[in-house]
Each structure stands twice: as structure tokens, then as C-alpha cells.
Amino acid sequence: YQTYYNVTEVKDGKIIRPIKSSMKDFDATGLEIVEYKLNAYIAVFDGTIKHFSQIEERFDDLYSSEFIEEVANETPVTKEQMRLHATELLFLGTKAKIVSFVPIDASHFKAAIHVQNNFSNTVVESTATIKVGKIVSIRNVIYMTESETSPQWMKFVLQELSI
């Protein structure tokens, strides 16, 4: 990876403020492994009700035993708490889809994931740190799709994907 474009604002269907970021060359092997694991994990959330045991191996393969989710002004979320959250999402028949996956450097990426069930319709924008092919920490920003404060780029992407 050397250069990527990240859309920051869309107006009337046109990109009006792209950011171009140049990076030094780096070994993206770890990112490619995590991207593959993330795709496999998210694919399980297809809208059908499942038991966590059906995805436990993928979950453990994606998240490090040291995993922590950093939440602003709140107690950090552990891997065990993340497991309970995934269990709830599966029970609700949640659909999830990766909207974007953008490498930052050899050990960090940003991803946007659309999550939808009967109770919620959100996009989670995550910045993650990886180590040895697993996610060790993540910081999330959650946008409600119906909210007027949701970023314009998100509304455009969801409209284009017909989600």
C-alpha cells in the first residue's frame, strides 16, 4: 500500500473533499490476514438467528486474548464482553456488511461496518490495532443511519449500496 483515497464528504452524489494520504511502503501481510478474518467473521451476520458456538472459532481467530475496546468516557470493553455482545447480535438475527477497510500502517486500519437488526440500524467506524494477525484494540464511533448528525458520506454510501 502506498496511496489511498478516503472520501470525507459527498454532496449531491459528488465527492467534494477527498483526502489523499501517502504512506511509506510497509509489509501489509498482517493487515491482509486480519482483513480476511474480518470478512469471514462479518459474513456470519447474515440476518439469521445463530448460536455463538457457530462462530466462536472465527471470533477467537480474529480477536486477541488481550483484546480491549476503548470507549470514550466509559470502562473499556474486554474480549469476554465483546463475546456477549456478539451473542446478542446473533440472537437478534443481525445483518452486517463491511462498507470500507482502509489500511493506515502495518499495524492499524480503519473500517466502517453497517449493522442492522429489528432494533438498530447503525454504521460503526472502527480504528483498530493488530498484532500477530489479530485485533488487539479497537476504538469505535457509532452513527445511527436515521440521525441528522450522521456524516454525509455514510448516508451516500448506504444509499449507493441500497442498505
Side-chain angles (χ1 to χ4, degrees):
Y1 295 96
Q2 275 195 319
T3 305
Y4 68 90
Y5 291 84
N6 186 15
V7 177
T8 58
E9 192 170 351
V10 176
K11 189 171 187 176
D12 298 324
K14 296 179 183 175
I15 299 170
I16 60 171
R17 196 176 63 203
I19 294 175
K20 179 180 176 184
S21 298
S22 295
M23 297 180 283
K24 295 179 182 176
D25 284 332
F26 63 86
D27 181 4
T29 306
L31 287 170
E32 291 169 351
I33 291 168
V34 169
E35 183 178 18
Y36 173 80
K37 291 177 182 181
L38 182 62
N39 278 313
Y41 175 71
I42 293 297
V44 174
F45 293 90
D46 60 5
T48 60
I49 296 172
K50 293 182 176 68
H51 189 271
F52 185 79
S53 62
Q54 293 177 265
I55 69 156
E56 190 165 11
E57 187 176 320
R58 290 181 189 191
F59 180 87
D60 287 334
D61 197 35
L62 178 62
Y63 295 103
S64 166
S65 60
E66 305 162 9
F67 174 80
I68 202 84
E69 178 183 354
E70 302 167 25
V71 182
N73 302 320
E74 293 183 29
T75 305
V77 175
T78 65
K79 183 176 180 179
E80 190 56 38
Q81 291 166 318
M82 185 76 153
R83 182 184 312 270
L84 292 173
H85 182 64
T87 301
E88 291 171 359
L89 292 175
L90 289 168
F91 179 77
L92 294 172
T94 300
K95 289 182 184 180
K97 182 174 185 162
I98 298 172
V99 177
S100 69
F101 184 97
V102 180
I104 297 171
D105 59 31
S107 60
H108 298 89
F109 69 87
K110 274 189 170 260
I113 300 171
H114 180 230
V115 180
Q116 182 179 22
N117 58 42
N118 289 337
F119 302 98
S120 178
N121 189 11
T122 60
V123 171
V124 180
E125 186 179 71
S126 304
T127 303
T129 302
I130 66 167
K131 187 166 105 177
V132 194
K134 293 189 177 195
I135 297 173
V136 291
S137 72
I138 201 162
R139 182 177 301 245
N140 289 329
V141 178
I142 299 172
Y143 300 106
M144 304 301 287
T145 57
E146 292 84 13
S147 170
E148 291 300 314
T149 60
S150 296
Q152 194 64 31
W153 66 264
M154 184 194 73
K155 293 176 187 174
F156 176 76
V157 167
L158 294 177
Q159 179 183 359
E160 288 299 304
L161 293 174
S162 299
I163 295 176

